[in-house]
Amino acid sequence: KNEVEQSPQNLTAQEGEFITINCSYSVGISALHWLQQHPGGGIVSLFMLSSGKKKHGRLIATINIQEKHSSLHITASHPRDSAVYICAVRASGSRLTFGEGTQLTVNP
Amino acid sequence: GAGVSQSPSNKVTEKGKDVELRCDPISGHTALYWYRQSLGQGLEFLIYFQGNSAPDKSGLPSDRFSAERTGGSVSTLTIQRTQQEDSAVYLCASSLSGTGAGTDTQYFGPGTRLTVL
């Protein structure tokens, strides 16, 4: 079992839909990251969370430390949101452990 | 520069040859990370540098892999006697502090796509 599991692996949505991507982890962590990887490979850090909830534009990230679970929500989804979304956790030390990613496709 | 830069962007090499990949972090960032993304697989941590501290090499897959960071800035990842399974995108990231509090955002470079024939 991977230390970080994401669901779903693939997600197709229509423009305007509300999207949720889930991340569960099995170790104690100091922080959780959500990353976005566009076609062509560029990676952008969206959020870093250690507790609670963060919002940036149409993106919202939440984390429940007790349940070892985080969600990434996208409101009013748009085709430009199509990308791979990656959850990564920072346990002990410096290294990040990554989930397999969720491929999101938003159709117009 | 404004962001993390990596060179070369693409590298094709023959099995058995050595390769060097370069990363220029954001100026002033003390923490530097190397990751690998193999085709169809997730990101994998390789090595981490924090200031003048000894690097965390726990992610390096074999002793053919090494990295150094000169002057606390530019880093070079070296792969000796490359194998076909080394083919991947090698990503570098930097962050301001890299402290264990996990309060630092990592900024990723565009990556180097390595193909070993």
Side-chain angles (χ1 to χ4, degrees), chain A residues 79-90:
Chain A
R80 65 174 174 267
D81 297 327
S82 298
V84 176
Y85 291 83
I86 302 167
C87 172
V89 299
R90 185 171 191 167

Side-chain angles (χ1 to χ4, degrees), chain A residues 1-9 20-29 31-34 49 62-72 85-90 97-102:
Chain A
K1 183 172 164 49
N2 293 334
E3 288 184 346
V4 182
E5 302 233 340
Q6 288 185 233
S7 64
Q9 284 188 311
T20 296
I21 299 170
N22 295 299
C23 176
S24 296
Y25 52 92
S26 57
V27 296
I29 67 169
L32 181 144
H33 298 249
W34 281 103
L49 296 164
T62 64
I63 188 168
N64 185 318
I65 296 294
Q66 287 74 29
E67 295 187 4
K68 294 186 166 59
H69 181 269
S70 175
S71 292
L72 176 68
Y85 291 83
I86 302 167
C87 172
V89 299
R90 185 171 191 167
T97 302
F98 297 86
E100 295 290 325
T102 295

Side-chain angles (χ1 to χ4, degrees), chain A residues 30-31 33 35 37 43 45 48 86 90 94-96 98 100, chain B residues 35 37 43 48 56 58 98-100 102-106 108:
Chain A
S30 60
H33 298 249
L35 309 171
Q37 186 171 31
I43 293 179
S45 179
M48 183 175 52
I86 302 167
R90 185 171 191 167
S94 51
R95 62 184 303 162
L96 289 179
F98 297 86
E100 295 290 325
Chain B
Y35 301 100
Q37 188 173 35
L43 284 155
Y48 159 68
D56 175 356
S58 59
T99 64
T103 58
D104 53 329
T105 296
Q106 294 187 22
F108 285 79

Side-chain angles (χ1 to χ4, degrees), chain B residues 17-40:
Chain B
K17 295 283 179 70
D18 297 352
V19 295
E20 284 190 352
L21 312 179
R22 177 186 168 108
C23 172
D24 284 86
I26 293 173
S27 178
H29 281 193
T30 62
L32 186 147
Y33 310 78
W34 282 99
Y35 301 100
R36 178 169 75 171
Q37 188 173 35
S38 302
L39 185 64

